[in-house]
Amino acid sequence: IYDVLEIFLTYPLCVLCQLIPQKVLDLLYPSSNRTPHQSDQAHCYQVLYDFKKLLHYARPNGIQFFLLKYKGMRNISHVMKEDDVTLYNVTPQQFLFVRVVAGVDLRDIIRHPFTCMTSHRHAVEVLIMSHEQGYKYLGGRGDENASGHNIVLLHNTGRCGSTLLANMVHRTEEFHVISEPYSLTALSVRISKQTDKTPLDCEENHELLRATLLFLCKDPDKKYLIKVTGIFTGSLLHLTNKALPGIRDIFLHRSLLATVSSWHKILGPLRFTGIAEYGKTFLPLKYRRIWQKVKPSTSYQEFMFIILCQMHPYFIECENGRNLRAFSYEYLRTNQEDFCVNLLSELGLEKKYVSLALSALDVDSQENSPLKKFNVDKNRTINVPGEALDWIVRIGQEEFGMEIGRKDGFVKNMPNS
């Protein structure tokens, strides 16, 4: 009942509450809507109130729909050098940056597990610049020859231990860990909505992804690990090494049954069904075509299909000769030290960091997560219908070339895992 009220009452009410006073502000201060006269200036929105605080659901997107703002002008170079400013979103025309309130350290993923939600909840300023301004700034900073050798992307299926793995890397203090930046999610969804006339693998997407990663990883002398949001972002694997040739990609996966059950518990039946039914609109064109061909008929079939679409780009890139590595949550639980040694080796870290990384297993990686607000019964049993698993086993083999176990839905032929 609360989910229904939130989606159909509270959410529209928040949008309306923001829209009316924002229009009044724009009328009272029309000069604030002017276009910057200098290329090194951009609009800066001062956050007056965040109507999203009225929402129960920790929705990470839509910052422009909830913040009551007053526009001013700021120098791009001055703002971008500050540690409390981070890239929040990438739209078809603009980069959106957020400055968080004093005292909130976005690098502390133990206290703030998800960058997208933290940057929204604690935003005090929003800086907006065009793509052209962003490219010019990066060029002036000397990033035209950047290779991305200091960046590791952790791709995953969601609900697979990725937050735990990010915490393990964070505890070594050798990497600046960025957990689920919304900018990469928004960009991935955007480029996935390509058609025959707008291919996924094009120079425009390479340039935009390159700028997004360099804005997220601002210091070329530091090492970064970015935990990508674990759904609807698989297409990034096709583009990362073309955007930044030196970047490293790793993949974390878990059995389909455990993954789907965990998603169902955290989302609840209403949101789970909604994502399952409408998730196909966020998939790349080739997967939308397979969806139309195989016609999943239940929410469990649809959700497992979406997870396979998240994993399949990894298969393709390995087949094309890229030297990628995958890790499974099941192996982490049964062989903790060996898993940790292999992970750190892939990241270029020595064995002396193993004990630090393993200390993450002693605490709940989701303890400070906004998702704790959900009334989730972790002990509730989710029974995935046997016919849904049989269906995905067949589809996985026929359409994706994946060998999926009939008992637990574990992908047996994951390359380099």
Side-chain angles (χ1 to χ4, degrees):
I1 292 175
Y2 194 101
D3 288 343
V4 173
L5 290 176
E6 178 192 300
I7 293 173
F8 296 106
L9 179 62
T10 315
Y11 185 91
L13 183 62
C14 288
V15 174
L16 186 63
C17 288
Q18 185 271 347
L19 180 63
I20 295 175
Q22 186 66 61
K23 289 294 184 183
V24 173
L25 277 176
D26 291 342
L27 288 173
L28 290 175
Y29 302 98
S31 61
S32 66
N33 293 317
R34 69 186 186 275
T35 302
H37 295 295
Q38 300 178 15
S39 60
D40 63 346
Q41 286 190 331
H43 281 303
C44 184
Y45 288 39
Q46 189 71 31
V47 176
L48 302 182
Y49 187 76
D50 183 1
F51 286 95
K52 191 176 179 182
K53 294 176 181 177
L54 300 177
L55 287 180
H56 167 71
Y57 181 35
R59 197 182 305 273
N61 58 338
I63 196 167
Q64 61 271 31
F65 300 124
F66 295 101
L67 298 181
L68 183 61
K69 308 173 290 287
Y70 169 71
K71 290 183 180 178
M73 293 291 175
R74 294 292 298 273
N75 181 277
I76 294 174
S77 298
H78 178 72
V79 172
M80 292 305 299
K81 293 177 182 178
E82 300 173 1
D83 290 336
D84 57 355
V85 174
T86 185
L87 179 64
Y88 174 80
N89 195 3
V90 180
T91 72
Q93 292 83 31
Q94 299 169 323
F95 295 107
L96 280 71
F97 298 82
V98 160
R99 181 199 301 281
V100 295
V101 67
V104 174
D105 186 358
L106 291 171
R107 295 168 295 184
D108 185 359
I109 67 165
I110 297 176
R111 293 186 62 188
H112 308 291
F114 302 111
T115 302
C116 53
M117 298 175 184
T118 304
S119 57
H120 192 165
R121 181 176 293 105
H122 300 286
V124 293
E125 284 184 353
V126 181
L127 179 77
I128 298 179
M129 71 175 75
S130 67
H131 288 174
E132 291 71 22
Q133 286 179 300
Y135 297 149
K136 184 175 181 180
Y137 169 78
L138 290 174
R141 203 178 68 171
D143 284 331
E144 59 272 6
N145 296 319
S147 67
H149 67 279
N150 60 325
I151 303 174
V152 178
L153 286 187
L154 170 58
H155 305 267
N156 59 92
T157 60
R159 312 308 302 167
C160 61
S162 57
T163 302
L164 171 59
L165 192 148
N167 269 278
M168 294 171 70
V169 177
H170 172 72
R171 286 173 180 272
T172 68
E173 299 184 352
E174 292 296 304
F175 278 81
H176 178 167
V177 178
I178 304 174
S179 181
E180 301 193 16
Y182 178 67
S183 50
L184 275 181
T185 306
L187 178 59
S188 179
V189 170
R190 177 193 165 194
I191 63 180
S192 292
K193 291 184 175 181
Q194 43 95 15
T195 64
D196 291 327
K197 296 182 180 179
T198 56
L200 173 72
D201 193 0
C202 65
E203 187 60 34
E204 178 185 357
N205 289 340
H206 298 165
E207 187 177 28
L208 197 54
L209 177 57
R210 180 178 183 276
T212 300
L213 291 169
L214 291 178
F215 275 131
L216 286 170
C217 308
K218 295 191 291 184
D219 190 341
D221 296 324
K222 293 181 179 179
K223 292 186 290 187
Y224 293 84
L225 182 136
I226 302 178
K227 179 176 81 95
V228 181
T229 303
I231 195 167
F232 306 125
T233 56
S235 57
L236 291 176
L237 260 169
H238 294 310
L239 307 177
T240 50
N241 69 323
K242 297 175 182 177
L244 290 170
I247 204 168
R248 284 176 290 171
D249 297 274
I250 59 178
F251 200 100
L252 182 65
H253 62 105
R254 188 183 184 186
S255 70
L256 287 177
L257 282 186
T259 303
V260 169
S261 297
S262 185
W263 271 112
H264 197 291
K265 288 181 181 180
I266 201 68
L267 291 173
L270 181 64
R271 295 190 186 94
F272 181 86
T273 302
I275 291 178
E277 290 182 353
Y278 299 105
K280 64 179 179 182
T281 60
F282 302 115
L283 297 175
L285 179 62
K286 63 180 179 181
Y287 297 127
R288 297 199 298 270
R289 287 174 171 166
I290 297 176
W291 182 295
Q292 293 299 327
K293 175 184 175 182
V294 301
K295 294 181 173 57
S297 57
T298 69
S299 59
Y300 288 106
Q301 291 179 1
E302 292 165 339
F303 212 101
M304 285 192 285
F305 183 91
I306 291 172
I307 293 174
L308 290 194
C309 294
Q310 180 76 3
M311 302 173 70
H312 191 237
Y314 176 85
F315 275 72
I316 296 176
E317 291 301 303
C318 287
E319 290 174 357
N320 291 338
R322 285 189 64 189
N323 184 24
L324 304 177
R325 285 295 305 275
F327 300 86
S328 76
Y329 179 76
E330 286 78 6
Y331 194 77
L332 168 61
R333 301 311 302 180
T334 57
N335 300 273
Q336 296 177 359
E337 185 168 348
D338 190 52
F339 177 98
C340 195
V341 169
N342 279 278
L343 172 65
L344 296 183
S345 175
E346 183 65 20
L347 299 179
L349 298 180
E350 300 175 2
K351 288 186 177 181
K352 65 180 181 180
Y353 295 103
V354 169
S355 58
L356 286 173
L358 288 176
S359 66
L361 297 171
D362 299 330
V363 297
D364 182 2
S365 61
Q366 301 279 354
E367 180 62 33
N368 297 309
S369 169
L371 299 179
K372 281 281 188 177
K373 290 183 178 181
F374 290 121
N375 295 319
V376 179
D377 182 4
K378 290 187 176 182
N379 297 319
R380 180 165 54 98
T381 301
I382 303 297
N383 295 314
V384 179
E387 56 269 22
L389 183 58
D390 291 339
W391 181 87
I392 203 64
V393 168
R394 177 174 60 83
I395 297 301
Q397 182 66 54
E398 295 177 356
E399 304 294 339
F400 297 94
M402 297 183 185
E403 297 177 11
I404 302 173
R406 293 184 178 276
K407 181 179 179 180
D408 56 3
F410 188 81
V411 178
K412 300 178 179 178
N413 61 333
M414 195 77 172
N416 303 327
S417 182

